[in-house]
Amino acid sequence: MVWKWLGALVVFPLQMIYLVVKAAVGLVLPAKLRDLSRENVLITGGGRGIGRQLAREFAERGARKIVLWGRTEKCLKETTEEIRQMGTECHYFICDVGNREEVYQTAKAVREKVGDITILVNNAAVVHGKSLMDSDDDALLKSQHVNTLGQFWTTKAFLPRMLELQNGHIVCLNSVLALSAIPGAIDYCTSKASAFAFMESLTLGLLDCPGVSATTVLPFHTSTEMFQGMRVRFPNLFPPLKPETVARRTVEAVQLNQALLLLPWTMHALIILKSILPQAALEEIHKFSGTYTCMNTFKGRT
């Protein structure tokens, strides 16, 4: 028994070194991308913003079928027609992911009409852009139902079949605000932090499930209607991401089976700073960068 433990203590650091070197080599040498030609992709919140760009990106990269979920039929119709014109089979379904029964019923309809979903992209989200005391209780609940619990329901609806097929991928379009919250978006930050924990637990739980993986994407502020009006102090130094960039990097992460993606890469520094700096210093960074007041001009979707 003693020799077994000693052996494990010797092997473990060697494994860590190997994995770090392997990851470093992967950053330099191009890796083989996953073939999407046999994959059926479902994107929640797929009618506009990042969801629409994700549909385009999956179509361009050869996905077999694309399914869009959302609550606004006009946007879903427009995106579906665009994807069909690109030569990819596309369908849309009206579904509020915050409604558990509606998710399960619509998932059943998808399986009957389209077939098995092998890539699920949880992208749907809402933000109200208010402080706690200014927030309506129902609005706070809606954020949690859509941004967090919705991912529970969609994953429960499609993951069992992925496990049976030994082929599947769960993707979460999260936000860097899951790691570093800001004032004026307490509902959004809280729900995204919960979703991050959900995905972290899910990803670890899938380690012993062959063929099924997960990817969490944490982008910086992205220039979509959802965060219209949000302003940082130095926009040239911290420019908002383009939805096309987030979509392209997300699909690449799926093809590379990458568990975590921070956008841009400089956001890694945020994690390091939060780990070593005192709270007073972090507060000064928020004030200096303008994140402390960035939601004061927030308008959101009109």
mmCIF file of all heavy atoms in Angstrom, residues 19-68:
data_model
loop_
_atom_site.group_PDB
_atom_site.id
_atom_site.type_symbol
_atom_site.label_atom_id
_atom_site.label_comp_id
_atom_site.label_asym_id
_atom_site.label_seq_id
_atom_site.Cartn_x
_atom_site.Cartn_y
_atom_site.Cartn_z
ATOM 1 N N LEU A 19 0.668 17.225 -19.223
ATOM 2 C CA LEU A 19 -0.549 17.885 -19.676
ATOM 3 C C LEU A 19 -0.310 19.363 -19.988
ATOM 4 O O LEU A 19 -0.872 19.909 -20.947
ATOM 5 C CB LEU A 19 -1.649 17.734 -18.624
ATOM 6 C CG LEU A 19 -2.173 16.311 -18.424
ATOM 7 C CD1 LEU A 19 -3.123 16.252 -17.240
ATOM 8 C CD2 LEU A 19 -2.873 15.819 -19.693
ATOM 9 N N VAL A 20 0.519 20.020 -19.198
ATOM 10 C CA VAL A 20 0.838 21.427 -19.451
ATOM 11 C C VAL A 20 1.610 21.565 -20.761
ATOM 12 O O VAL A 20 1.326 22.447 -21.583
ATOM 13 C CB VAL A 20 1.646 22.019 -18.274
ATOM 14 C CG1 VAL A 20 2.188 23.401 -18.646
ATOM 15 C CG2 VAL A 20 0.778 22.113 -17.032
ATOM 16 N N VAL A 21 2.597 20.703 -20.962
ATOM 17 C CA VAL A 21 3.381 20.741 -22.209
ATOM 18 C C VAL A 21 2.497 20.437 -23.406
ATOM 19 O O VAL A 21 2.587 21.091 -24.454
ATOM 20 C CB VAL A 21 4.556 19.733 -22.136
ATOM 21 C CG1 VAL A 21 5.246 19.621 -23.490
ATOM 22 C CG2 VAL A 21 5.540 20.154 -21.064
ATOM 23 N N LYS A 22 1.612 19.469 -23.252
ATOM 24 C CA LYS A 22 0.697 19.103 -24.327
ATOM 25 C C LYS A 22 -0.196 20.280 -24.706
ATOM 26 O O LYS A 22 -0.422 20.555 -25.887
ATOM 27 C CB LYS A 22 -0.163 17.910 -23.899
ATOM 28 C CG LYS A 22 -1.138 17.425 -24.973
ATOM 29 C CD LYS A 22 -1.953 16.245 -24.469
ATOM 30 C CE LYS A 22 -2.958 15.784 -25.519
ATOM 31 N NZ LYS A 22 -3.779 14.638 -25.010
ATOM 32 N N ALA A 23 -0.707 20.993 -23.686
ATOM 33 C CA ALA A 23 -1.554 22.159 -23.940
ATOM 34 C C ALA A 23 -0.762 23.267 -24.620
ATOM 35 O O ALA A 23 -1.269 23.945 -25.526
ATOM 36 C CB ALA A 23 -2.152 22.664 -22.632
ATOM 37 N N ALA A 24 0.486 23.469 -24.193
ATOM 38 C CA ALA A 24 1.334 24.496 -24.798
ATOM 39 C C ALA A 24 1.618 24.187 -26.267
ATOM 40 O O ALA A 24 1.589 25.078 -27.123
ATOM 41 C CB ALA A 24 2.641 24.621 -24.022
ATOM 42 N N VAL A 25 1.879 22.925 -26.556
ATOM 43 C CA VAL A 25 2.122 22.518 -27.946
ATOM 44 C C VAL A 25 0.865 22.732 -28.784
ATOM 45 O O VAL A 25 0.927 23.161 -29.940
ATOM 46 C CB VAL A 25 2.558 21.036 -28.001
ATOM 47 C CG1 VAL A 25 2.603 20.547 -29.453
ATOM 48 C CG2 VAL A 25 3.920 20.866 -27.343
ATOM 49 N N GLY A 26 -0.298 22.466 -28.166
ATOM 50 C CA GLY A 26 -1.558 22.654 -28.877
ATOM 51 C C GLY A 26 -1.816 24.095 -29.259
ATOM 52 O O GLY A 26 -2.523 24.378 -30.233
ATOM 53 N N LEU A 27 -1.250 25.033 -28.489
ATOM 54 C CA LEU A 27 -1.408 26.452 -28.812
ATOM 55 C C LEU A 27 -0.569 26.854 -30.018
ATOM 56 O O LEU A 27 -0.885 27.820 -30.714
ATOM 57 C CB LEU A 27 -1.005 27.311 -27.600
ATOM 58 C CG LEU A 27 -1.909 27.211 -26.365
ATOM 59 C CD1 LEU A 27 -1.308 28.006 -25.216
ATOM 60 C CD2 LEU A 27 -3.316 27.723 -26.691
ATOM 61 N N VAL A 28 0.493 26.110 -30.247
ATOM 62 C CA VAL A 28 1.414 26.448 -31.338
ATOM 63 C C VAL A 28 1.075 25.683 -32.617
ATOM 64 O O VAL A 28 1.009 26.261 -33.706
ATOM 65 C CB VAL A 28 2.875 26.156 -30.920
ATOM 66 C CG1 VAL A 28 3.829 26.463 -32.072
ATOM 67 C CG2 VAL A 28 3.240 26.953 -29.683
ATOM 68 N N LEU A 29 0.875 24.380 -32.475
ATOM 69 C CA LEU A 29 0.602 23.543 -33.643
ATOM 70 C C LEU A 29 -0.899 23.423 -33.874
ATOM 71 O O LEU A 29 -1.666 23.258 -32.922
ATOM 72 C CB LEU A 29 1.196 22.143 -33.440
ATOM 73 C CG LEU A 29 2.714 22.084 -33.228
ATOM 74 C CD1 LEU A 29 3.141 20.647 -33.003
ATOM 75 C CD2 LEU A 29 3.447 22.688 -34.425
ATOM 76 N N PRO A 30 -1.356 23.518 -35.120
ATOM 77 C CA PRO A 30 -2.790 23.397 -35.410
ATOM 78 C C PRO A 30 -3.307 22.005 -35.079
ATOM 79 O O PRO A 30 -2.712 20.997 -35.457
ATOM 80 C CB PRO A 30 -2.865 23.670 -36.920
ATOM 81 C CG PRO A 30 -1.487 23.372 -37.438
ATOM 82 C CD PRO A 30 -0.548 23.736 -36.333
ATOM 83 N N ALA A 31 -4.394 21.958 -34.342
ATOM 84 C CA ALA A 31 -4.980 20.674 -33.958
ATOM 85 C C ALA A 31 -6.046 20.257 -34.971
ATOM 86 O O ALA A 31 -6.584 21.086 -35.716
ATOM 87 C CB ALA A 31 -5.598 20.778 -32.569
ATOM 88 N N LYS A 32 -6.363 18.984 -34.968
ATOM 89 C CA LYS A 32 -7.394 18.478 -35.867
ATOM 90 C C LYS A 32 -8.761 18.862 -35.335
ATOM 91 O O LYS A 32 -9.089 18.602 -34.175
ATOM 92 C CB LYS A 32 -7.283 16.952 -35.976
ATOM 93 C CG LYS A 32 -8.281 16.349 -36.961
ATOM 94 C CD LYS A 32 -8.120 14.835 -37.050
ATOM 95 C CE LYS A 32 -9.124 14.241 -38.021
ATOM 96 N NZ LYS A 32 -9.009 12.761 -38.116
ATOM 97 N N LEU A 33 -9.566 19.483 -36.201
ATOM 98 C CA LEU A 33 -10.890 19.931 -35.800
ATOM 99 C C LEU A 33 -11.925 18.827 -35.980
ATOM 100 O O LEU A 33 -11.856 18.040 -36.927
ATOM 101 C CB LEU A 33 -11.306 21.163 -36.618
ATOM 102 C CG LEU A 33 -10.437 22.416 -36.466
ATOM 103 C CD1 LEU A 33 -10.950 23.518 -37.383
ATOM 104 C CD2 LEU A 33 -10.423 22.893 -35.024
ATOM 105 N N ARG A 34 -12.883 18.792 -35.092
ATOM 106 C CA ARG A 34 -13.964 17.807 -35.148
ATOM 107 C C ARG A 34 -14.813 18.018 -36.395
ATOM 108 O O ARG A 34 -15.174 19.145 -36.741
ATOM 109 C CB ARG A 34 -14.827 17.942 -33.900
ATOM 110 C CG ARG A 34 -16.094 17.106 -33.883
ATOM 111 C CD ARG A 34 -16.850 17.375 -32.590
ATOM 112 N NE ARG A 34 -18.095 16.640 -32.491
ATOM 113 C CZ ARG A 34 -18.893 16.682 -31.425
ATOM 114 N NH1 ARG A 34 -18.546 17.418 -30.385
ATOM 115 N NH2 ARG A 34 -20.014 15.981 -31.398
ATOM 116 N N ASP A 35 -15.143 16.940 -37.067
ATOM 117 C CA ASP A 35 -16.018 16.996 -38.237
ATOM 118 C C ASP A 35 -17.463 17.177 -37.778
ATOM 119 O O ASP A 35 -17.953 16.428 -36.929
ATOM 120 C CB ASP A 35 -15.868 15.707 -39.040
ATOM 121 C CG ASP A 35 -16.768 15.684 -40.270
ATOM 122 O OD1 ASP A 35 -17.175 16.773 -40.736
ATOM 123 O OD2 ASP A 35 -17.069 14.581 -40.763
ATOM 124 N N LEU A 36 -18.141 18.177 -38.328
ATOM 125 C CA LEU A 36 -19.513 18.483 -37.913
ATOM 126 C C LEU A 36 -20.565 17.978 -38.894
ATOM 127 O O LEU A 36 -21.758 18.221 -38.691
ATOM 128 C CB LEU A 36 -19.673 19.998 -37.747
ATOM 129 C CG LEU A 36 -18.767 20.676 -36.714
ATOM 130 C CD1 LEU A 36 -18.989 22.183 -36.745
ATOM 131 C CD2 LEU A 36 -19.008 20.129 -35.321
ATOM 132 N N SER A 37 -20.150 17.263 -39.919
ATOM 133 C CA SER A 37 -21.070 16.886 -40.989
ATOM 134 C C SER A 37 -22.178 15.925 -40.552
ATOM 135 O O SER A 37 -23.190 15.801 -41.248
ATOM 136 C CB SER A 37 -20.299 16.274 -42.160
ATOM 137 O OG SER A 37 -19.614 15.099 -41.754
ATOM 138 N N ARG A 38 -22.011 15.269 -39.403
ATOM 139 C CA ARG A 38 -23.035 14.337 -38.918
ATOM 140 C C ARG A 38 -23.742 14.859 -37.665
ATOM 141 O O ARG A 38 -24.508 14.130 -37.034
ATOM 142 C CB ARG A 38 -22.410 12.973 -38.604
ATOM 143 C CG ARG A 38 -21.839 12.268 -39.828
ATOM 144 C CD ARG A 38 -21.293 10.900 -39.449
ATOM 145 N NE ARG A 38 -20.766 10.190 -40.606
ATOM 146 C CZ ARG A 38 -20.228 8.971 -40.571
ATOM 147 N NH1 ARG A 38 -20.159 8.329 -39.396
ATOM 148 N NH2 ARG A 38 -19.767 8.396 -41.663
ATOM 149 N N GLU A 39 -23.493 16.123 -37.340
ATOM 150 C CA GLU A 39 -24.008 16.671 -36.091
ATOM 151 C C GLU A 39 -25.278 17.491 -36.292
ATOM 152 O O GLU A 39 -25.389 18.289 -37.230
ATOM 153 C CB GLU A 39 -22.953 17.557 -35.417
ATOM 154 C CG GLU A 39 -21.579 16.911 -35.291
ATOM 155 C CD GLU A 39 -21.585 15.652 -34.441
ATOM 156 O OE1 GLU A 39 -22.531 15.464 -33.651
ATOM 157 O OE2 GLU A 39 -20.627 14.853 -34.561
ATOM 158 N N ASN A 40 -26.246 17.256 -35.405
ATOM 159 C CA ASN A 40 -27.460 18.072 -35.353
ATOM 160 C C ASN A 40 -27.315 19.051 -34.187
ATOM 161 O O ASN A 40 -27.154 18.633 -33.041
ATOM 162 C CB ASN A 40 -28.699 17.197 -35.141
ATOM 163 C CG ASN A 40 -28.955 16.276 -36.315
ATOM 164 O OD1 ASN A 40 -28.497 16.521 -37.430
ATOM 165 N ND2 ASN A 40 -29.691 15.197 -36.087
ATOM 166 N N VAL A 41 -27.363 20.332 -34.490
ATOM 167 C CA VAL A 41 -27.069 21.380 -33.507
ATOM 168 C C VAL A 41 -28.347 22.112 -33.112
ATOM 169 O O VAL A 41 -29.124 22.531 -33.974
ATOM 170 C CB VAL A 41 -26.064 22.395 -34.075
ATOM 171 C CG1 VAL A 41 -25.693 23.432 -33.022
ATOM 172 C CG2 VAL A 41 -24.824 21.695 -34.617
ATOM 173 N N LEU A 42 -28.560 22.274 -31.808
ATOM 174 C CA LEU A 42 -29.679 23.070 -31.317
ATOM 175 C C LEU A 42 -29.126 24.278 -30.575
ATOM 176 O O LEU A 42 -28.287 24.139 -29.677
ATOM 177 C CB LEU A 42 -30.580 22.255 -30.395
ATOM 178 C CG LEU A 42 -31.901 22.934 -29.982
ATOM 179 C CD1 LEU A 42 -32.996 21.899 -29.752
ATOM 180 C CD2 LEU A 42 -31.738 23.787 -28.709
ATOM 181 N N ILE A 43 -29.608 25.467 -30.949
ATOM 182 C CA ILE A 43 -29.140 26.717 -30.351
ATOM 183 C C ILE A 43 -30.326 27.431 -29.714
ATOM 184 O O ILE A 43 -31.288 27.795 -30.400
ATOM 185 C CB ILE A 43 -28.499 27.632 -31.415
ATOM 186 C CG1 ILE A 43 -27.372 26.903 -32.150
ATOM 187 C CG2 ILE A 43 -27.984 28.921 -30.764
ATOM 188 C CD1 ILE A 43 -26.881 27.630 -33.387
ATOM 189 N N THR A 44 -30.280 27.626 -28.401
ATOM 190 C CA THR A 44 -31.336 28.401 -27.750
ATOM 191 C C THR A 44 -31.014 29.891 -27.921
ATOM 192 O O THR A 44 -29.848 30.278 -27.998
ATOM 193 C CB THR A 44 -31.444 28.065 -26.251
ATOM 194 O OG1 THR A 44 -30.262 28.501 -25.576
ATOM 195 C CG2 THR A 44 -31.624 26.568 -26.047
ATOM 196 N N GLY A 45 -32.050 30.699 -27.994
ATOM 197 C CA GLY A 45 -31.824 32.113 -28.285
ATOM 198 C C GLY A 45 -31.182 32.278 -29.645
ATOM 199 O O GLY A 45 -30.320 33.144 -29.848
ATOM 200 N N GLY A 46 -31.615 31.457 -30.594
ATOM 201 C CA GLY A 46 -30.940 31.377 -31.893
ATOM 202 C C GLY A 46 -31.427 32.347 -32.947
ATOM 203 O O GLY A 46 -30.941 32.309 -34.071
ATOM 204 N N GLY A 47 -32.373 33.214 -32.597
ATOM 205 C CA GLY A 47 -32.941 34.086 -33.610
ATOM 206 C C GLY A 47 -32.148 35.337 -33.898
ATOM 207 O O GLY A 47 -32.261 35.922 -34.981
ATOM 208 N N ARG A 48 -31.331 35.780 -32.935
ATOM 209 C CA ARG A 48 -30.610 37.039 -33.131
ATOM 210 C C ARG A 48 -29.343 37.062 -32.291
ATOM 211 O O ARG A 48 -29.061 36.153 -31.526
ATOM 212 C CB ARG A 48 -31.503 38.215 -32.747
ATOM 213 C CG ARG A 48 -32.096 38.143 -31.344
ATOM 214 C CD ARG A 48 -33.105 39.254 -31.142
ATOM 215 N NE ARG A 48 -33.857 39.076 -29.900
ATOM 216 C CZ ARG A 48 -34.882 39.831 -29.539
ATOM 217 N NH1 ARG A 48 -35.264 40.833 -30.322
ATOM 218 N NH2 ARG A 48 -35.517 39.619 -28.413
ATOM 219 N N GLY A 49 -28.571 38.149 -32.445
ATOM 220 C CA GLY A 49 -27.362 38.319 -31.674
ATOM 221 C C GLY A 49 -26.354 37.207 -31.875
ATOM 222 O O GLY A 49 -26.130 36.739 -33.000
ATOM 223 N N ILE A 50 -25.728 36.775 -30.794
ATOM 224 C CA ILE A 50 -24.725 35.717 -30.879
ATOM 225 C C ILE A 50 -25.344 34.421 -31.385
ATOM 226 O O ILE A 50 -24.717 33.661 -32.121
ATOM 227 C CB ILE A 50 -24.074 35.497 -29.501
ATOM 228 C CG1 ILE A 50 -23.299 36.754 -29.072
ATOM 229 C CG2 ILE A 50 -23.141 34.290 -29.523
ATOM 230 C CD1 ILE A 50 -22.723 36.683 -27.671
ATOM 231 N N GLY A 51 -26.613 34.162 -31.020
ATOM 232 C CA GLY A 51 -27.286 32.943 -31.467
ATOM 233 C C GLY A 51 -27.369 32.853 -32.978
ATOM 234 O O GLY A 51 -27.122 31.791 -33.566
ATOM 235 N N ARG A 52 -27.700 33.946 -33.625
ATOM 236 C CA ARG A 52 -27.766 33.969 -35.092
ATOM 237 C C ARG A 52 -26.388 33.726 -35.697
ATOM 238 O O ARG A 52 -26.243 32.975 -36.672
ATOM 239 C CB ARG A 52 -28.327 35.301 -35.572
ATOM 240 C CG ARG A 52 -28.347 35.433 -37.089
ATOM 241 C CD ARG A 52 -29.002 36.727 -37.546
ATOM 242 N NE ARG A 52 -30.440 36.677 -37.333
ATOM 243 C CZ ARG A 52 -31.293 37.623 -37.778
ATOM 244 N NH1 ARG A 52 -30.824 38.682 -38.432
ATOM 245 N NH2 ARG A 52 -32.584 37.506 -37.566
ATOM 246 N N GLN A 53 -25.380 34.358 -35.124
ATOM 247 C CA GLN A 53 -24.027 34.165 -35.627
ATOM 248 C C GLN A 53 -23.547 32.734 -35.413
ATOM 249 O O GLN A 53 -22.835 32.174 -36.261
ATOM 250 C CB GLN A 53 -23.068 35.139 -34.939
ATOM 251 C CG GLN A 53 -23.335 36.601 -35.239
ATOM 252 C CD GLN A 53 -23.211 36.931 -36.711
ATOM 253 O OE1 GLN A 53 -22.429 36.314 -37.433
ATOM 254 N NE2 GLN A 53 -23.987 37.889 -37.170
ATOM 255 N N LEU A 54 -23.945 32.110 -34.325
ATOM 256 C CA LEU A 54 -23.603 30.708 -34.090
ATOM 257 C C LEU A 54 -24.227 29.810 -35.145
ATOM 258 O O LEU A 54 -23.589 28.875 -35.637
ATOM 259 C CB LEU A 54 -24.075 30.279 -32.698
ATOM 260 C CG LEU A 54 -23.227 30.738 -31.515
ATOM 261 C CD1 LEU A 54 -23.984 30.545 -30.208
ATOM 262 C CD2 LEU A 54 -21.902 29.985 -31.481
ATOM 263 N N ALA A 55 -25.483 30.098 -35.499
ATOM 264 C CA ALA A 55 -26.147 29.308 -36.537
ATOM 265 C C ALA A 55 -25.397 29.429 -37.858
ATOM 266 O O ALA A 55 -25.180 28.429 -38.562
ATOM 267 C CB ALA A 55 -27.593 29.783 -36.697
ATOM 268 N N ARG A 56 -24.986 30.638 -38.205
ATOM 269 C CA ARG A 56 -24.221 30.855 -39.433
ATOM 270 C C ARG A 56 -22.898 30.090 -39.398
ATOM 271 O O ARG A 56 -22.510 29.443 -40.377
ATOM 272 C CB ARG A 56 -23.940 32.347 -39.623
ATOM 273 C CG ARG A 56 -25.152 33.202 -39.947
ATOM 274 C CD ARG A 56 -24.784 34.672 -39.896
ATOM 275 N NE ARG A 56 -25.903 35.541 -40.253
ATOM 276 C CZ ARG A 56 -25.922 36.848 -40.026
ATOM 277 N NH1 ARG A 56 -24.879 37.436 -39.432
ATOM 278 N NH2 ARG A 56 -26.973 37.573 -40.387
ATOM 279 N N GLU A 57 -22.221 30.163 -38.263
ATOM 280 C CA GLU A 57 -20.901 29.539 -38.141
ATOM 281 C C GLU A 57 -20.996 28.023 -38.222
ATOM 282 O O GLU A 57 -20.190 27.369 -38.912
ATOM 283 C CB GLU A 57 -20.263 29.959 -36.822
ATOM 284 C CG GLU A 57 -18.782 29.647 -36.715
ATOM 285 C CD GLU A 57 -17.923 30.479 -37.646
ATOM 286 O OE1 GLU A 57 -18.295 31.628 -37.961
ATOM 287 O OE2 GLU A 57 -16.860 29.960 -38.075
ATOM 288 N N PHE A 58 -21.963 27.434 -37.532
ATOM 289 C CA PHE A 58 -22.142 25.987 -37.612
ATOM 290 C C PHE A 58 -22.501 25.563 -39.042
ATOM 291 O O PHE A 58 -22.042 24.519 -39.519
ATOM 292 C CB PHE A 58 -23.219 25.523 -36.629
ATOM 293 C CG PHE A 58 -22.719 25.248 -35.245
ATOM 294 C CD1 PHE A 58 -23.064 26.075 -34.181
ATOM 295 C CD2 PHE A 58 -21.897 24.153 -34.986
ATOM 296 C CE1 PHE A 58 -22.604 25.825 -32.892
ATOM 297 C CE2 PHE A 58 -21.434 23.881 -33.701
ATOM 298 C CZ PHE A 58 -21.787 24.732 -32.657
ATOM 299 N N ALA A 59 -23.325 26.361 -39.710
ATOM 300 C CA ALA A 59 -23.703 26.049 -41.091
ATOM 301 C C ALA A 59 -22.482 26.112 -42.010
ATOM 302 O O ALA A 59 -22.276 25.221 -42.853
ATOM 303 C CB ALA A 59 -24.781 27.016 -41.569
ATOM 304 N N GLU A 60 -21.676 27.139 -41.853
ATOM 305 C CA GLU A 60 -20.481 27.292 -42.692
ATOM 306 C C GLU A 60 -19.491 26.162 -42.469
ATOM 307 O O GLU A 60 -18.766 25.773 -43.385
ATOM 308 C CB GLU A 60 -19.812 28.634 -42.396
ATOM 309 C CG GLU A 60 -20.582 29.839 -42.921
ATOM 310 C CD GLU A 60 -19.915 31.153 -42.551
ATOM 311 O OE1 GLU A 60 -18.876 31.110 -41.836
ATOM 312 O OE2 GLU A 60 -20.425 32.213 -42.963
ATOM 313 N N ARG A 61 -19.482 25.628 -41.269
ATOM 314 C CA ARG A 61 -18.533 24.556 -40.943
ATOM 315 C C ARG A 61 -19.110 23.158 -41.174
ATOM 316 O O ARG A 61 -18.520 22.158 -40.772
ATOM 317 C CB ARG A 61 -18.035 24.709 -39.508
ATOM 318 C CG ARG A 61 -17.159 25.945 -39.320
ATOM 319 C CD ARG A 61 -16.785 26.156 -37.873
ATOM 320 N NE ARG A 61 -15.992 27.364 -37.710
ATOM 321 C CZ ARG A 61 -14.674 27.396 -37.486
ATOM 322 N NH1 ARG A 61 -14.005 26.266 -37.396
ATOM 323 N NH2 ARG A 61 -14.035 28.541 -37.360
ATOM 324 N N GLY A 62 -20.285 23.114 -41.812
ATOM 325 C CA GLY A 62 -20.792 21.838 -42.302
ATOM 326 C C GLY A 62 -21.709 21.058 -41.406
ATOM 327 O O GLY A 62 -21.891 19.835 -41.613
ATOM 328 N N ALA A 63 -22.323 21.690 -40.406
ATOM 329 C CA ALA A 63 -23.264 20.958 -39.554
ATOM 330 C C ALA A 63 -24.394 20.369 -40.390
ATOM 331 O O ALA A 63 -24.857 20.983 -41.352
ATOM 332 C CB ALA A 63 -23.824 21.882 -38.479
ATOM 333 N N ARG A 64 -24.851 19.182 -40.015
ATOM 334 C CA ARG A 64 -25.876 18.477 -40.792
ATOM 335 C C ARG A 64 -27.230 19.172 -40.712
ATOM 336 O O ARG A 64 -27.858 19.472 -41.716
ATOM 337 C CB ARG A 64 -25.980 17.038 -40.286
ATOM 338 C CG ARG A 64 -27.001 16.177 -41.031
ATOM 339 C CD ARG A 64 -26.803 14.713 -40.659
ATOM 340 N NE ARG A 64 -27.867 13.882 -41.200
ATOM 341 C CZ ARG A 64 -28.888 13.412 -40.487
ATOM 342 N NH1 ARG A 64 -28.978 13.718 -39.195
ATOM 343 N NH2 ARG A 64 -29.812 12.659 -41.031
ATOM 344 N N LYS A 65 -27.694 19.432 -39.489
ATOM 345 C CA LYS A 65 -28.967 20.117 -39.278
ATOM 346 C C LYS A 65 -28.805 21.134 -38.152
ATOM 347 O O LYS A 65 -28.026 20.909 -37.217
ATOM 348 C CB LYS A 65 -30.078 19.125 -38.901
ATOM 349 C CG LYS A 65 -30.400 18.089 -39.965
ATOM 350 C CD LYS A 65 -31.482 17.128 -39.461
ATOM 351 C CE LYS A 65 -31.763 16.026 -40.467
ATOM 352 N NZ LYS A 65 -32.793 15.081 -39.966
ATOM 353 N N ILE A 66 -29.555 22.217 -38.247
ATOM 354 C CA ILE A 66 -29.528 23.239 -37.204
ATOM 355 C C ILE A 66 -30.956 23.526 -36.748
ATOM 356 O O ILE A 66 -31.855 23.715 -37.571
ATOM 357 C CB ILE A 66 -28.856 24.534 -37.709
ATOM 358 C CG1 ILE A 66 -27.380 24.269 -38.000
ATOM 359 C CG2 ILE A 66 -29.009 25.658 -36.682
ATOM 360 C CD1 ILE A 66 -26.642 25.448 -38.564
ATOM 361 N N VAL A 67 -31.142 23.532 -35.439
ATOM 362 C CA VAL A 67 -32.451 23.812 -34.841
ATOM 363 C C VAL A 67 -32.318 25.067 -33.983
ATOM 364 O O VAL A 67 -31.391 25.187 -33.182
ATOM 365 C CB VAL A 67 -32.936 22.630 -33.970
ATOM 366 C CG1 VAL A 67 -34.277 22.963 -33.320
ATOM 367 C CG2 VAL A 67 -33.049 21.366 -34.811
ATOM 368 N N LEU A 68 -33.244 25.999 -34.156
ATOM 369 C CA LEU A 68 -33.228 27.245 -33.403
ATOM 370 C C LEU A 68 -34.408 27.302 -32.448
ATOM 371 O O LEU A 68 -35.540 27.010 -32.840
ATOM 372 C CB LEU A 68 -33.287 28.442 -34.364
ATOM 373 C CG LEU A 68 -32.240 28.480 -35.483
ATOM 374 C CD1 LEU A 68 -32.501 29.671 -36.390
ATOM 375 C CD2 LEU A 68 -30.834 28.526 -34.913
#
